[in-house]
Amino acid sequence: MTLPPLTLSLQFARFDGVAEHRAALPRHAVARWLRHALERPGELTVRIVDADEGRTLNRDYRHKDYATNVLTFDYAHEPVVVADLVLCAPVVAREAAEQGKPLRAHYAHLLVHGALHAQGWDHETSEADAEAMEAREIAILARLGFPNPYADRVT
């Protein structure tokens, strides 16, 4: 399986506890996870932020006044996927703990999720689109050695 090329900028804001998040996100692993999620070459910036920055971005761009786990700002889908993925470290850590998942596994899932959004996948348009996107995430994560992130979800 040939994976598409990726130009990656991995950025960490300054916040308490950033070392734990840096440890969960070695550059080579982030690049591997994203390349598996990309269908074509990509130029992605991944930024790990604190709750204040995450909330500000979500409020200013989505008009939702809370910090969310991942925001995708997609600028181009073809011929190269160009996007910024912003992950809110405190939210990701809280969700991982609540779901009983390793922080690294939850980050892998959210990066794959964000990369799919960057390519035009959307889970908010219809139930069918949500199911298709989840199935794609599950397949990609399985190839990467991660369990189904939705396995424990109550339906």
Side-chain angles (χ1 to χ4, degrees), residues 60-78:
D60 292 353
Y61 291 95
R62 294 181 65 227
H63 311 292
K64 297 182 179 188
D65 194 18
Y66 58 88
T68 190
N69 52 19
V70 60
L71 292 167
T72 300
F73 299 93
D74 60 324
Y75 309 112
H77 296 170
E78 293 185 32

Side-chain angles (χ1 to χ4, degrees), residues 46-119:
V46 173
R47 181 165 171 78
I48 311 304
V49 302
D50 64 8
D52 289 339
E53 186 173 345
R55 180 179 181 181
T56 298
L57 289 168
N58 200 30
R59 183 188 64 232
D60 292 353
Y61 291 95
R62 294 181 65 227
H63 311 292
K64 297 182 179 188
D65 194 18
Y66 58 88
T68 190
N69 52 19
V70 60
L71 292 167
T72 300
F73 299 93
D74 60 324
Y75 309 112
H77 296 170
E78 293 185 32
V80 176
V81 177
V82 181
D84 295 335
L85 306 179
V86 179
L87 292 93
C88 183
V91 174
V92 175
R94 185 190 76 238
E95 290 177 348
E98 289 171 355
Q99 297 170 21
K101 297 176 182 176
L103 184 60
R104 181 180 174 101
H106 197 43
Y107 267 122
H109 174 216
L110 294 173
L111 286 165
V112 167
H113 182 88
L116 291 179
H117 274 305
Q119 297 169 92

Side-chain angles (χ1 to χ4, degrees), residues 112-134:
V112 167
H113 182 88
L116 291 179
H117 274 305
Q119 297 169 92
W121 291 78
D122 195 342
H123 55 87
E124 295 182 353
T125 49
S126 71
E127 186 64 32
D129 288 347
E131 290 174 7
M133 188 170 175
E134 286 182 10

